[in-house]
Amino acid sequence: MNDRQRGLIDNLARRNISAFYCNNAQGVQKKVLELIPVGASVGFSGSKTIQELNLIEILKNQGVEVFDQYGLGVDKEEGMRLRQLGIGADYYLTSVNAVTWAGELVFLSAFGHRSAGIANAKNLIIMCGINKITDDLNTALSRAREYVAPLNCKRLNWHSVCLDKGICQEDVCFPPQYKRMCCQTLIIEAEMNPGRVKFILCQESLGI
Ligand code: SF4
């Protein structure tokens, strides 16, 4: 870990967010398993990072109850029910869209389940690849809106303006004409409850 990364860990600690550093993806998997006890329940947001880490399968195999909205045979209605259950689970797993060196965290959400999980979870575990660190809050918001959301719309074939035109036009990207992926923006600047939020920084790139 270099001095700047150590500074980020310290800045998160000042904001009452416990931060851990891992050298690689395997280290992140190990840390998540350390943090979540067998028998606990887990909810999670849609996340390329979680997908890349294969965390849902790993947790299920460890005897953790996962409210899996993307499980085989889960239809739309059941998916929404599982998302709601996930918000109230013992642990909520997510990845950040951008973090500033000062420790501000930026998340986008479409329906709001992700925002609700992050804001209300009993225990929140946030994963972050080195690729998601930005200089300041404006750059973090731009990264989320102008880089992450368009790539996710493409990846998931969401009929948004950025999928149609290749750039964000947030002033016209509204339902029902468009399926807007970034309906809500959540910024975490600090945490009140000691120990509720854990942040895992990975030296490797993870997700988008
Ligand atoms: S507001 Fe619409 S066009 Fe802009 S990034 Fe979000 S989904 Fe894409």
Side-chain angles (χ1 to χ4, degrees), residues 108 144-146 149-150 153 160-163 167-170 173 179-183:
L108 298 178
R145 177 63 61 82
E146 289 161 26
C153 287
S160 58
V161 173
C162 55
L163 184 71
I167 55 161
C168 172
Q169 290 181 343
E170 61 87 19
C173 186
K179 197 173 174 188
R180 180 175 174 130
M181 184 167 278
C182 29
C183 291

Side-chain angles (χ1 to χ4, degrees), residues 3-203:
D3 286 350
R4 217 162 177 214
Q5 291 159 354
R6 190 176 300 283
L8 170 56
I9 300 279
D10 291 345
N11 286 336
L12 287 162
R14 283 175 52 232
R15 294 171 187 271
N16 213 11
I17 294 169
S18 312
F20 306 91
Y21 173 84
C22 298
N23 283 319
N24 50 36
Q26 288 74 23
V28 178
Q29 289 166 327
K30 198 165 158 239
K31 179 49 77 179
V32 170
L33 290 179
E34 266 173 42
L35 293 172
I36 300 179
V38 172
S41 61
V42 169
F44 65 102
S45 69
S47 155
K48 185 100 186 327
T49 295
I50 292 175
Q51 230 179 35
E52 285 174 6
L53 293 169
N54 196 28
L55 275 175
I56 301 311
E57 282 316 303
I58 292 172
L59 286 167
K60 284 179 181 174
N61 291 337
Q62 293 288 318
V64 169
E65 182 187 9
V66 183
F67 298 117
D68 183 2
Q69 63 267 31
Y70 304 114
L72 268 183
V74 173
D75 62 17
K76 195 174 173 190
E77 194 181 332
E78 177 64 359
M80 289 297 174
R81 191 183 77 85
L82 288 166
R83 284 175 171 86
Q84 289 293 351
L85 286 173
I87 294 165
D90 298 324
Y91 290 81
Y92 194 82
L93 278 178
T94 193
S95 56
V96 74
N97 293 133
V99 57
T100 66
W101 285 113
E104 297 138 311
L105 307 169
V106 171
F107 305 88
L108 298 178
S109 183
F111 291 100
H113 295 106
R114 186 176 190 229
S115 319
I118 291 164
N120 298 311
K122 290 177 206 148
N123 293 286
L124 175 65
I125 300 174
I126 303 165
M127 287 153 286
C128 176
I130 200 83
N131 48 317
K132 297 187 176 181
I133 307 176
T134 63
D135 281 340
D136 55 34
L137 192 53
N138 279 340
T139 322
L141 290 166
S142 301
R143 181 182 199 280
R145 177 63 61 82
E146 289 161 26
Y147 177 72
V148 179
L151 283 179
N152 275 332
C153 287
K154 196 168 175 193
R155 180 171 72 90
L156 301 169
N157 198 28
W158 274 57
H159 182 231
S160 58
V161 173
C162 55
L163 184 71
D164 261 8
K165 305 193 174 171
I167 55 161
C168 172
Q169 290 181 343
E170 61 87 19
D171 54 334
V172 293
C173 186
F174 299 118
Q177 189 184 357
Y178 291 108
K179 197 173 174 188
R180 180 175 174 130
M181 184 167 278
C182 29
C183 291
Q184 299 184 6
T185 303
L186 174 65
I187 300 169
I188 293 187
E189 296 177 339
E191 169 59 30
M192 284 297 287
N193 299 311
R196 188 186 82 91
V197 183
K198 311 271 194 308
F199 183 93
I200 307 174
L201 176 64
C202 180
Q203 179 64 41

